Amino acid sequence: MKWSGTYKVNAHDTDLNNIVSLTGLLRYMQDSANCQMEEQGPSYNELQERGLAFVLSRIKLSVYHPVYSHDIIDVESWACESSGVSFNRCYCIRKNGEIVAEAYSVWALLDVKAHKLVRVSDFENSYGMDNPVELDMAKRFRLPARYPLNLVGERVVEYQDVDMNCHINNTRYGDILCGYIPKMEGQRVIKFEINYVSEAPLGETLKVYMGSDGDGTYYFRTQRDGAKTNIEAEIMMEAI
């Protein structure tokens, strides 16, 4: 069963094009998941008390239509059939009954004290389940080798980036990466896929590498101190 909630879009979630930014969309989806966990249990806080935490591994998002300030949107989130140590979850945003964005995500459940992953079969929960969205996400995320990545900047992980775990919140990467795309004015994101490799803690400096196919698709890799990969991502743009 899907959890569904109605939101009035906050003007603070819009960008220079007056549409909801990539991070804004991801936040509404994330909140819907947290609401389902809160209602059906265990909640995010209950997991924390048990020393458990969901960690996002990958997410693929397709955006079909822009969302504007003060739009009324319905956001759905639901768990999907999962196995091993991969917990699958999907999202859908509708406006006036029409799908404007949907996403497929893969999570890991970490036992923080034991430093090990919890298997799906060992995790009791009441989260409603349904069929996954059809976004054709490959089993492994790979950046295409034919587009070289060049260093485009360095970024210190700051207060506004992190959550209570003192790492960059997964929703923040959308807008962080869009900040390196040469011209966002007059363009919007229509596809976003990101693979989280290692967490970036408060105070660390990330090196940002970017490449492009020259036709509106950008590829990213960020590296932590010691050349350890933080994330890899793909963003596809189109003119508004």
Side-chain angles (χ1 to χ4, degrees):
M1 183 179 68
K2 300 176 180 178
W3 184 92
S4 181
T6 300
Y7 297 79
K8 183 176 182 179
V9 173
N10 194 316
H12 296 144
D13 291 327
T14 59
D15 65 6
L16 76 174
N17 296 300
N18 197 33
I19 63 174
V20 176
S21 72
L22 179 52
T23 283
L25 291 174
L26 292 169
R27 282 176 173 167
Y28 285 110
M29 291 180 171
Q30 182 81 34
D31 189 69
S32 69
N34 288 342
C35 287
Q36 185 193 37
M37 294 171 67
E38 183 74 30
E39 286 189 8
Q40 299 174 359
S43 69
Y44 188 82
N45 288 337
E46 288 170 340
L47 289 179
Q48 280 196 318
E49 291 172 359
R50 291 162 51 183
L52 301 174
F54 273 112
V55 179
L56 185 56
S57 175
R58 285 180 62 191
I59 188 168
K60 183 174 184 177
L61 167 71
S62 288
V63 186
Y64 309 119
H65 304 285
V67 178
Y68 299 91
S69 173
H70 300 157
D71 276 349
I72 303 300
I73 57 175
D74 296 307
V75 186
E76 296 175 330
S77 181
W78 65 98
C80 306
E81 185 175 352
S82 305
S83 62
V85 293
S86 296
F87 292 78
N88 302 322
R89 174 171 287 276
C90 289
Y91 310 86
C92 180
I93 298 178
R94 286 183 169 86
K95 185 173 70 172
N96 299 324
E98 182 179 15
I99 296 177
V100 296
E102 54 187 358
Y104 187 103
S105 63
V106 181
W107 299 74
L109 183 59
L110 177 65
D111 185 325
V112 178
K113 294 181 180 179
H115 298 286
K116 68 177 184 179
L117 299 178
V118 178
R119 298 185 63 83
V120 171
S121 57
D122 295 331
F123 178 60
E124 293 185 8
N125 68 87
S126 301
Y127 305 151
M129 293 184 62
D130 212 311
N131 295 324
V133 297
E134 297 181 2
L135 289 184
D136 191 28
M137 186 165 71
K139 290 185 177 180
R140 289 188 177 183
F141 179 84
R142 289 186 176 91
L143 293 174
R146 63 186 179 276
Y147 303 119
L149 303 180
N150 300 305
L151 181 64
V152 292
E154 295 188 357
R155 193 179 192 284
V156 177
V157 180
E158 298 179 341
Y159 160 80
Q160 67 268 24
D161 300 324
V162 303
D163 53 26
M164 67 179 70
N165 298 310
C166 284
H167 299 100
I168 296 181
N169 183 270
N170 64 78
T171 64
R172 286 282 295 136
Y173 284 98
D175 285 357
I176 289 173
L177 298 179
C178 283
Y180 291 94
I181 292 176
K183 187 177 183 295
M184 284 296 296
E185 187 173 3
Q187 295 193 95
R188 71 180 187 92
V189 175
I190 60 171
K191 177 186 174 184
F192 175 62
E193 186 167 1
I194 184 169
N195 181 41
Y196 299 88
V197 181
S198 64
E199 295 177 320
L202 181 66
E204 188 157 278
T205 299
L206 297 177
K207 291 184 177 180
V208 182
Y209 296 84
M210 183 180 74
S212 173
D213 67 353
D215 196 30
T217 300
Y218 296 86
Y219 305 97
F220 294 90
R221 177 181 293 121
T222 59
Q223 290 186 340
R224 300 172 53 194
D225 295 340
K228 185 176 182 178
T229 298
N230 165 227
I231 60 92
E232 294 181 328
E234 174 184 346
I235 298 178
M236 184 181 296
M237 311 292 298
E238 76 167 13
I240 297 173

